[in-house]
Amino acid sequence: MSSNMEVDMHNPAFDSRDSGAHTDWRLRLALAGTALAVVVVVLGAFTRLADAGLGCPDWPGCYGHLTWPDEHHEIETANAAFPHAPVETDKTWPEMVHRYFAGALLLLVGGLTVLAWRRRGHRAFKQTHFLLALILLQAAFGMWTVTLKLWPQVVTAHLLGGMATLSMLWLMVERLRNAPPSKGRFIPAHEYRLLQKIRPLAFAATGAVVLQIALGGWTSSNYAALACADFPTCHGEWWPQTDFRQGFNIAQQIGPNYLGGTLESDARTAIHVAHRLGALLVSILVLALAAFAWRAGSHRWAAGLAGVLLLQVSLGIANVVMFLPLPIAVAHNAGAAVLLLGLLTFCYRIQTAQPRVSNRDGIPEKPGVDNTALAGTL
């Protein structure tokens, strides 16, 4: 019996089933982690835009509480302990809820890392460890956001770290969906050739979106979103007076408190104008990519990318003309995440797709293969 068991354990079908079971658990955790990361990113945007980043002057607790002070006697005690930062209950709970969800994400990625150690040869082994290190770094940025009083460099880095965490989790989902024993992605040979030609453009568009997200974080952390209150002009001019040197002085000293911003008007205008120029560059690249993708036959991807871009640009304009309403500002941040994930997915599927042999070449097509590699919604 033991020899038969040993033979069974080394049977390729047994290994395939075992690998599939492990991949299924990783996939479920990665999907849950992605959903949780979306919540963390949106809550982070809400906290930042509601000026609640310093809602709790200490870290990791809030005025010495595991939750936040809400009873009258607790608020009195907190105000006595932190006289420089009196309790504002409408700002304490967003900060702490954001921390709770970020902590839950850390635990979930820790679980993914434990599973990765059970199969060290798996493709996600290094990725889970890097992801865990990134989230720990994010926790440090969260602490520095409080202790350094919303220093723009830290706030912007914290935003980029959140987007990077979300992106890595989503790419892990993509990799696990196509891990053995699942089928590969095969597309018609002519479509494959056309998509390979636009691969540099896809990567360039993705890089531009990352840069634009960084500019958006810099705009928000320096309170420059309303530096131009009109559109498409700024202060009634196509090129207003600006101070780019001061606006993008990333070597500025750490000040006592950045709540409300410390830059002069011309510096904030420079940041806002740069963000608009970045939006123009992203629009050109993404629309060009959508046009070439449509020509290659990836119609749903082309329409999806163009649609998300149009929505994102509309939200950005609405933020200006409507004086930054909180729901629209938060939706603008979420839209940036959706656009980034869409581009990353498109790049990944171009990178991993394989040409499907056509009958026109006299060779039969591979049976049972998913021929819609680039189909699907964003």
Side-chain angles (χ1 to χ4, degrees), residues 119-364:
R119 294 182 64 83
R120 300 184 190 181
H122 194 271
R123 62 176 69 186
F125 181 77
K126 293 181 179 180
Q127 189 175 359
T128 52
H129 285 73
F130 185 82
L131 186 57
L132 181 62
L134 178 60
I135 294 180
L136 290 173
L137 180 61
Q138 272 292 91
F141 278 126
M143 177 186 67
W144 293 329
T145 297
V146 176
T147 58
L148 297 180
K149 307 298 183 183
L150 303 181
W151 195 35
Q153 284 85 332
V154 170
V155 175
T156 303
H158 195 39
L159 169 65
L160 289 174
M163 291 292 186
T165 301
L166 174 60
S167 299
M168 286 193 64
L169 280 164
W170 179 245
L171 287 176
M172 185 181 294
V173 169
E174 282 291 302
R175 295 185 71 181
L176 291 172
R177 277 178 175 171
N178 300 286
S182 65
K183 300 171 183 177
R185 298 183 184 278
F186 289 85
I187 58 177
H190 70 281
E191 184 177 345
Y192 174 83
R193 289 192 295 269
L194 290 174
L195 289 173
Q196 293 306 307
K197 290 180 179 179
I198 66 172
R199 186 168 59 176
L201 177 60
F203 284 111
T206 304
V209 168
V210 172
L211 177 61
Q212 180 67 355
I213 289 173
L215 279 171
W218 192 248
T219 301
S220 178
S221 60
N222 282 284
Y223 299 85
L226 293 178
C228 299
D230 51 329
F231 185 87
T233 58
C234 178
H235 304 313
E237 301 178 83
W238 289 105
W239 192 261
Q241 185 172 340
T242 56
D243 185 352
F244 281 91
R245 182 176 181 180
Q246 184 62 30
F248 290 91
N249 179 22
I250 60 174
Q252 59 181 261
Q253 295 182 351
I254 300 175
N257 194 323
Y258 285 90
L259 185 63
T262 60
L263 294 179
E264 299 294 333
S265 175
D266 290 350
R268 299 191 198 203
T269 300
I271 296 172
H272 188 106
V273 168
H275 189 53
R276 288 192 185 185
L277 292 175
L280 178 61
L281 174 62
V282 167
S283 298
I284 292 172
L285 291 175
V286 174
L287 288 177
L289 178 63
F292 283 114
W294 184 277
R295 182 181 177 185
S298 300
H299 296 163
R300 296 174 68 182
W301 275 104
L305 290 173
V308 173
L309 174 68
L310 178 61
L311 176 61
Q312 183 67 352
V313 171
S314 300
L315 289 171
I317 295 173
N319 276 328
V320 174
V321 299
M322 299 176 67
F323 299 101
L324 204 65
L326 184 58
I328 294 180
V330 173
H332 190 52
N333 280 259
V338 173
L339 182 58
L340 175 61
L341 293 185
L343 285 166
L344 284 172
T345 308
F346 189 66
C347 289
Y348 180 79
R349 295 193 179 189
I350 291 177
Q351 189 78 12
T352 58
Q354 301 177 49
R356 172 163 52 88
V357 178
S358 172
N359 283 327
R360 289 177 298 180
D361 298 324
I363 303 175

Side-chain angles (χ1 to χ4, degrees), residues 65-110:
H65 292 256
L66 288 176
T67 56
W68 57 86
D70 55 357
E71 300 290 339
H72 181 69
H73 68 279
E74 293 176 341
I75 294 175
E76 285 188 345
T77 303
N79 287 337
F82 296 89
H84 62 285
V87 175
E88 296 181 66
T89 53
D90 60 330
K91 295 184 178 181
T92 54
W93 70 264
E95 174 66 8
M96 286 308 294
V97 170
H98 178 230
R99 293 182 190 181
Y100 292 150
F101 276 94
L105 181 60
L106 173 61
L107 293 176
L108 189 147
V109 172

